[in-house]
Each structure stands twice: as C-alpha cells, then as structure tokens.
Amino acid sequence: MATATGTQPYNPYETAQRQFDHVADLLDLDQGTRALLRVPLREYQFSIPIRTDSGAVRVLRGFRVQHNDARGPSKGGIRFHPQETIDTVRALAMWMTWKCAVVDIPLGGAKGGVICDPHNLSAREQEGICRGWVRQVAKNVGPTIDVPAPDVMTTPQHMVWMMDEWETIHGHRGPGFITGKPVGMGGSLGRTEATGYGVVFTLREALAQLGLPIDKTKAAVQGFGNVSQYAIQLYSKMGGTVVSVSSWDQNEQTSYAFRRPDGVDAAELMKITDPFGGIDKKKAASLGYEVKPGEDWIAEDVDILLPAALENQVTGENAKRISPRVKIVAEGANGPTTPEADALLKDRGVFVIPDFLANAGGVTCSYFEQVQSNMNHYWTQDEVLGKLDVKMTHAFHDVAELAKCRKLYMRDAAYVIAVSRVAKACRDRGWV
Ligand code: NAD
C-alpha cells in the first residue's frame, strides 16, 4: 500500500473513522449510535482456491464487508487489486453507507475485494475467482440482502460470471443480485457513463454556485479509467478544457501525466488505452501529448482538480504543489484526499465536492439497474441519465445549502446529512 508520509503505511479505514468521529462530534451523536456506525455490522474473510492454467492450485484471499443496512440492502463494488486489505474494504464499505444516504437511495453500504492482479491472470482464471468469491458468500448476498457491483479492475464480464454462479447456487434467475452487468444481460443503459457523468453534474452545479462559466474553466485529472474517461467527455462537451490527465504504466510500474494545453481528447486517448486505463505513452507522444511524471498533474495551473484514480493521492506533501488558481476539487475517486491535505484545502477555501457525493452517480445508476432488473423492464439511456442528473443535482443542493446555512465545509455538510439519515434509520428500527 502506498504511504502517506513515506514511513507510516496509509490506512484508509483510519481516515474513514477519523472522518466519522469528527461528524459524530458535530452531530453530538449518542454513544450507542457512534459505537454501531464506527465499525461494520458484518465482515466475511475467506479463501478462494482456483485451478491455474498450469494445473496448480492457487489460493487467493477474498473479502465482503457489510457496514450498515438500516436503510436497505447493502450495496458496493468488488475490487481486484494486489494491495487490497481488509481495512481498505472496511473503509470503502463505510463510505458506501454514507454515499447511498447522501443521495437518498434506499440502500446500505458494503464492499468486497480479492487480493489479486488481473493483469497476470487469464480470463479462465479470473472466471474461477469470480465464481469462487460468490460460492463463499452466496447465502449472505442477494437482491434483498447485499448487492455487489464492479469497482477497480473488475468488469461487466466479471459481474455476469458472478450472477451466473449465484443463480446456479440458488436455482432461479435473480439479475437484481448484482449490478454493472452488460446491457442485454440485465445491465442498465447509462451505467458505464454514470459515475463520470455524476461527477460532472455536481461540478456543473458547484461552478454555477461560484459564478464560474464552465467554458472558461480548465481542469487536471488523475486517472484515465471508467470514472475519468466519461467525466472528461461530459466536461469537455459542456465546454471545459482538460489540460492534463495521468495514468498508471503497468510495465514501468509508475504513472505518467499526458499534457495538452488546448485540451486532451478523451475519445482519441481511449483508442490508445488498455482495458485497465493505462494510456500508451509512445502513442500519446506521437499524437502530440507532452509526457510528464505522473505526479505533475496536481501542479497544473487550472481551476479544477479531479482525482479519479485511487485513494491517498492528494497528501499533505503534494497538496502544497496545488496552484493558487484551483477553486474546486471534485473527488472522483474514493478517499483520494488524506486528512492532512483536506485541512490544507479547507484553510485555502477550496470548494471540495467530497468523494461520496461526487462519485455517487455510479451507485445511483446501480440502484436504477437493480430496480430495472427486479422489474425485468428496462429504461432508455436518456431516461436513466435524466433521472441520474435529477438525483445528483438534488443531492448536491441539499449538501451545499446545509454547508451555507451552518457555515460547514462541504465534506462535513455531506457527512452531517448522510450520518443523520443512517442514524435515524437505526433509531427507527430500534437498534440504538
Ligand atoms: P479504473 O480501474 O477503471 O481506472 C483507474 C485509473 O487510475 C486507470 O486509468 C489507472 O491507470 C489510473 N491510476 C492508477 N494508479 C494511478 C496513479 N498512481 N497515478 C495516476 N493514475 C493512476 O477505476 P475506476 O472505476 O475509474 O475508479 C477510479 C476511482 O473511482 C476508484 O477510487 C474507485 O473506487 C472510484 N469509484 C469508481 C466508481 C465506478 O463506477 N467505476 C464509482 C465510484 C467510485
């Protein structure tokens, strides 16, 4: 796991708990509710044995953490990552609870993962991992219990294998068990674009609130995966200019930033990007992009920073490199900002659209997919993206209004709304 200080291993769960403690204080939350919401309700940790292509047995470690389901079935993605840890999964599960609550969808929070690197696994081996993961938790997940989805390095194909395994075990069709499926196999139109578009819907509202015309703004983006690609597409379509985008180079095990002052072209870059979001350095250079060290994305002279890669990327150290021109940080990734960097941004008066609000478009559309799958009736793409815009815009204004009224930092306001809603559901159920 990357380090925040260079010496201490970064622990996102500690960050998530620190954020929660801070809001619990703001809300003057009672001791029982604090104790309940500070840790996950349920955790599953298990082994997944698979037969590799060479015929050997390999045993991988898998996780599912259900943080809270007071407001509805838990919901959250499954990540395949070589540095996955139980604490990362716990943090992400907790953030899912707040995310579903802040956009007011009737779901709780969960997250899953497998310690593995799909770069080094054949399709058959990946199928084995997907089916093995479902076998370990088949009785603890389902449309009315806990609904998984894709996340970092997991794809719609992985979701179909998981759905097939779950349906085989349970002996009936149940496409509402999992979301992020391909269209035509229970997937929703608009899901691919949803997270990136959702980030830009909230960004559009933030710019309007600050009185900044979108077509006069510039942005720098970290990451070029699912979230980033569609965020760049919509932001550019609305007239904004992305001057730099970075991505991870798997061969060199480092990141690069691809810079073009008159604006990067997402569609052009997608043609030279691998399925994991890695941009081909040589091809980008031949298309006229300046290739810089990956960490330089943060120092661009822009109005908007959009971290959309991984957690722990904007740190106390590199936040000092952020240009004074930056007015908005829209957190596309989960947990991209460490508490130290957050304090710096707060001091400087940067308008932060916190992760669990900014990137809630994914789970909102997953919820739409779940609803459609359960009905076995599917909406048009315009219908889905229209509903998404309404939900994200509404959620943004709920948070921005509270921030204004109570003079709160945006992250705090989003937390106050989310934690209050979950705490109320726990009280209504008589849990606390
Ligand atoms: P992805 O795997 O599709 O893309 C990740 C991108 O980040 C890739 O382009 C990769 O090259 C890049 N990257 C990795 N390490 C990097 C580094 N050190 N420097 C620069 N670039 C780096 O993932 P995604 O689905 O786009 O998710 C990105 C983030 O958004 C994650 O934090 C994820 O949890 C969060 N998120 C995703 C969704 C979703 O619907 N996909 C929803 C909500 C939140």
Side-chain angles (χ1 to χ4, degrees):
M1 184 60 64
T3 61
T5 61
T7 50
Q8 286 293 312
Y10 170 68
N11 187 331
Y13 188 40
E14 282 169 16
T15 302
Q17 289 189 317
R18 270 164 76 174
Q19 290 170 345
F20 171 73
D21 291 342
H22 173 61
V23 182
D25 288 344
L26 275 178
L27 280 168
D28 202 15
L29 216 57
D30 64 275
Q31 212 43 51
T33 310
R34 272 178 203 242
L36 185 70
L37 295 181
R38 204 170 184 277
V39 294
L41 274 180
R42 284 176 290 276
E43 300 185 353
Y44 305 97
Q45 298 189 47
F46 42 88
S47 293
I48 305 173
I50 61 157
R51 181 80 56 186
T52 65
D53 289 348
S54 67
V57 171
R58 194 173 150 198
V59 181
L60 301 157
R61 207 66 194 147
F63 310 106
R64 187 68 178 173
V65 172
Q66 295 163 352
H67 172 259
N68 191 280
D69 56 8
R71 288 173 45 86
S74 330
K75 183 94 192 75
I78 301 168
R79 298 159 50 124
F80 286 175
H81 200 279
Q83 266 112 42
E84 194 65 286
T85 67
I86 183 66
D87 274 355
T88 307
V89 181
R90 286 176 176 139
L92 293 165
M94 193 189 280
W95 283 323
M96 282 304 296
T97 304
W98 313 140
K99 192 181 297 193
C100 292
V102 85
V103 281
D104 206 10
I105 52 179
L107 298 171
K111 206 78 180 188
V114 179
I115 305 174
C116 69
D117 189 347
H119 289 98
N120 310 323
L121 293 158
S122 70
R124 200 194 59 79
E125 290 167 336
Q126 292 179 45
E127 179 177 349
I129 296 173
C130 290
R131 291 186 186 278
W133 189 92
V134 172
R135 268 180 236 138
Q136 297 302 334
V137 286
K139 297 194 173 54
N140 312 104
V141 294
T144 57
I145 305 170
D146 177 7
V147 183
D151 201 291
V152 174
M153 289 204 269
T154 48
T155 64
Q157 175 62 74
H158 293 132
M159 300 304 110
V160 176
W161 286 325
M162 288 185 167
M163 175 182 79
D164 186 68
E165 190 66 25
W166 189 90
E167 290 182 339
T168 304
I169 290 168
H170 290 275
H172 61 82
R173 293 282 170 261
F177 150 61
I178 203 160
T179 62
K181 304 178 294 292
V183 172
M185 282 297 288
S188 174
L189 290 165
R191 176 62 186 89
T192 314
E193 299 87 347
T195 309
Y197 275 30
V199 172
V200 176
F201 292 145
T202 61
L203 176 60
R204 177 195 64 202
E205 298 305 306
L207 287 167
Q209 185 161 319
L210 298 182
L212 295 167
I214 199 163
D215 57 350
K216 301 272 185 309
T217 60
K218 290 186 189 234
V221 181
Q222 187 192 36
F224 195 60
N226 173 261
V227 178
S228 162
Q229 290 174 5
Y230 291 97
I232 296 176
Q233 270 188 12
L234 185 61
Y235 170 70
S236 307
K237 200 170 149 195
M238 289 177 176
T241 307
V242 172
V243 297
S244 173
V245 59
S246 67
S247 81
W248 183 252
D249 188 308
Q250 183 61 18
N251 293 329
E252 297 185 29
Q253 290 291 299
T254 188
S255 59
Y256 287 102
F258 300 89
R259 189 168 190 277
R260 190 147 82 185
D262 61 349
V264 309
D265 179 339
E268 175 186 74
L269 285 177
M270 277 161 82
K271 289 187 197 137
I272 58 164
T273 299
D274 68 30
F276 303 104
I279 298 171
D280 188 310
K281 196 170 59 150
K282 274 199 191 128
K283 289 183 183 159
S286 72
L287 287 169
Y289 289 86
E290 186 187 344
V291 182
K292 299 184 73 186
E295 58 270 23
D296 283 6
W297 77 281
I298 206 165
E300 289 289 347
D301 185 34
V302 291
D303 309 282
I304 300 152
L305 288 179
L306 174 44
L310 288 176
E311 64 278 354
N312 186 35
Q313 296 301 309
V314 183
T315 64
E317 233 3 84
N318 67 15
K320 293 178 194 143
R321 296 185 68 202
I322 295 177
S323 153
R325 177 172 164 181
V326 169
K327 292 174 195 70
I328 297 178
V329 173
E331 296 181 330
N334 285 316
T337 310
T338 65
E340 294 71 26
D342 209 29
L344 250 152
L345 295 174
K346 201 173 184 172
D347 277 355
R348 279 181 43 177
V350 174
F351 190 101
V352 171
I353 312 177
D355 49 5
F356 65 101
L357 170 63
N359 68 32
V363 74
T364 303
C365 194
S366 290
Y367 164 62
F368 294 156
E369 177 178 336
Q370 198 188 335
V371 170
Q372 294 169 82
S373 284
N374 291 341
M375 289 191 301
N376 208 9
H377 168 73
Y378 292 85
W379 305 327
T380 64
Q381 187 177 34
D382 283 352
E383 212 173 337
V384 173
L385 294 175
K387 286 183 201 291
L388 181 69
D389 194 349
V390 170
K391 208 74 183 134
M392 295 300 294
T393 301
H394 201 93
F396 175 87
H397 286 290
D398 273 357
V399 174
E401 221 155 89
L402 184 76
K404 217 169 174 179
C405 287
R406 287 190 46 189
K407 296 195 173 32
L408 289 173
Y409 186 47
M410 277 291 281
R411 192 186 310 281
D412 291 343
Y415 263 116
V416 164
I417 288 180
V419 174
S420 307
R421 284 178 181 158
V422 178
K424 180 176 183 308
C426 294
R427 271 196 305 277
D428 287 352
R429 285 179 180 276
W431 291 357
V432 285

